[in-house]
């Protein structure tokens, strides 16, 4: 008997069982998306499953749904401004928290990351009570402030991860050669941590665009965002147009993440 046959590994029944369990878990997680995708092409007059036939009329009807168009406009404006603001605040904050030691460092970290631990409904209620006397309800400023509060932790976390793994020798070399702090940051530090910054910005944009609870409380009657408009539509209609819109938004989000991963290395920034 040859040595290869002597040490031939035995069949392990646990491996196919594990693969089946993983497949079922993925299927369970993706089932809602699959159903929404199928329903978006269904000819049913109402949201229902299984579909009775195939049609594209729900996609063709989307441009004529003014509430979706207006909601999309508000959501895009808010998400763009929120992304710019959280990057302007989050990147310097992450740099300070990672590179410097000061007495209130732990308190600052808890302050910036607390929105991740606070229920959205609590934040939304507090913002309504705070914004009321300041006349910020139903304004772009109020929505942007609310969304900045819940998205800034993502920028700080991804930037800190990039800073923690960055090679500081290049920064030291730039300082020795006479570069000032701003030049070092702009020409050396920022290119090194760019994947983390881009990842945080993309996550902030998607979270802001998709945020419903704070938008519902802060600007439901004045400047409803797309998620709020979708909630209104579902309350008054039961057709599959909202499923078609959901499929488009899912595909756009997936495309953005894939492009950023290919260009900037999103996966590396999140590891």
């Amino acid at each position: 008997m040859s040595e290869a046959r002597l040490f031939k590994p035995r069949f392990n029944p646990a491996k196919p069982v594990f693969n089946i369990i993983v497949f079922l878990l993925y299927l369970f997680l993706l089932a809602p998306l699959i159903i929404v995708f199928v329903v978006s092409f269904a000819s049913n007059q109402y949201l229902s499953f299984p579909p009775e036939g195939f049609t594209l009329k729900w996609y063709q009807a989307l441009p004529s749904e003014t509430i979706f168009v207006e909601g999309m406009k508000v959501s895009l404006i808010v998400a763009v401004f929120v992304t710019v603001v959280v990057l302007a605040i989050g990147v310097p904050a992450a740099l300070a928290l990672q590179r410097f030691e000061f007495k209130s460092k732990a308190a600052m970290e808890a302050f910036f990351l607390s929105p991740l631990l606070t229920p959205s409904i609590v934040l939304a209620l507090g913002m309504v009570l705070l914004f009321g006397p300041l006349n910020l309800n139903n304004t772009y400023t109020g929505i942007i402030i609310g969304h900045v509060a819940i998205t800034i932790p993502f920028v700080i976390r991804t930037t800190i991860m990039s800073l923690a793994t960055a090679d500081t020798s290049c920064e030291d070399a730039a300082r020795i050669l006479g570069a000032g702090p701003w030049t070092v940051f702009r020409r050396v530090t920022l290119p090194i941590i760019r994947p983390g910054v881009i990842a945080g910005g993309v996550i902030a944009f998607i979270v802001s665009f998709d945020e419903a609870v704070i938008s519902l409380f802060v600007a439901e009657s004045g400047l409803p965002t797309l998620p709020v408009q979708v909630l209104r539509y579902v309350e008054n209609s039961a057709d599959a147009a909202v499923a078609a819109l959901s499929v488009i938004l899912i595909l756009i989000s997936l495309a953005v993440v894939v492009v950023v991963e290919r260009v900037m290395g999103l996966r590396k920034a999140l590891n």
Side-chain angles (χ1 to χ4, degrees):
M1 182 179 295
S2 65
E3 185 177 350
R5 291 183 179 180
L6 181 63
F7 293 100
K8 184 178 181 180
R10 296 180 179 180
F11 172 73
N12 186 4
K15 186 174 182 179
V17 173
F18 175 78
N19 292 335
I20 293 174
I21 293 175
V22 171
F23 172 77
L24 292 177
L25 287 174
Y26 273 109
L27 183 62
F28 174 77
L29 294 174
L30 295 175
L33 301 182
I34 296 173
I35 292 176
V36 169
F37 183 82
V38 173
V39 170
S40 69
F41 294 100
S43 60
N44 308 37
Q45 292 301 314
Y46 303 99
L47 279 171
S48 59
F49 188 85
E52 298 175 355
F54 178 86
T55 182
L56 295 175
K57 66 179 181 179
W58 305 119
Y59 289 90
Q60 296 169 352
L62 286 179
S64 61
E65 296 290 348
T66 56
I67 64 170
F68 291 158
V69 176
E70 292 298 323
M72 179 75 75
K73 176 183 175 181
V74 174
S75 291
L76 285 175
I77 293 174
V78 171
V80 169
F81 275 95
V82 167
T83 303
V84 173
V85 172
V86 295
L87 288 177
I89 298 175
V91 174
L95 188 62
L97 293 173
Q98 176 65 25
R99 295 288 175 83
F100 302 100
E101 294 293 336
F102 46 94
K103 292 182 179 180
S104 58
K105 180 178 179 178
M108 291 297 295
E109 289 179 345
F111 171 76
F112 281 118
L113 302 180
S114 59
L116 294 177
L117 305 176
T118 306
S120 297
I121 189 71
V122 176
L123 290 174
L125 181 59
M127 289 175 187
V128 169
L129 298 176
L130 175 64
F131 293 166
L134 301 176
N135 295 321
L136 291 178
N137 287 329
N138 299 314
T139 64
Y140 277 111
T141 303
I143 306 175
I144 291 172
I145 293 175
H147 287 198
V148 166
I150 63 171
T151 55
I152 196 170
F154 298 103
V155 174
I156 291 178
R157 292 302 299 170
T158 56
T159 306
I160 285 178
M161 291 179 190
S162 293
L163 287 169
T165 58
D167 184 7
T168 60
S169 60
C170 296
E171 297 173 300
D172 295 336
R175 294 189 189 96
I176 293 174
L177 293 174
W182 171 245
T183 302
V184 172
F185 173 77
R186 181 172 57 88
R187 302 291 296 272
V188 181
T189 307
L190 189 57
I192 293 175
I193 65 173
R194 185 181 301 168
V197 174
I198 298 297
V202 170
I203 295 173
F205 183 91
I206 294 175
V207 170
S208 174
F209 189 89
D210 192 52
E211 171 57 37
V213 178
I214 291 177
S215 301
L216 186 63
F217 274 70
V218 174
E220 189 272 340
S221 60
L223 289 170
T225 59
L226 183 59
V228 176
Q229 295 285 36
V230 170
L231 290 175
R232 286 181 176 178
Y233 188 86
V234 173
E235 290 176 354
N236 301 319
S237 303
D239 57 46
V242 68
L245 176 64
S246 300
V247 171
I248 292 176
L249 294 178
I250 292 171
L251 294 178
I252 292 175
S253 299
L254 182 62
V256 170
V257 172
V258 170
V259 169
V260 173
E261 159 62 20
R262 294 288 185 178
V263 176
M264 294 293 182
L266 179 61
R267 189 185 308 170
K268 183 189 300 184
L270 296 177
N271 287 335

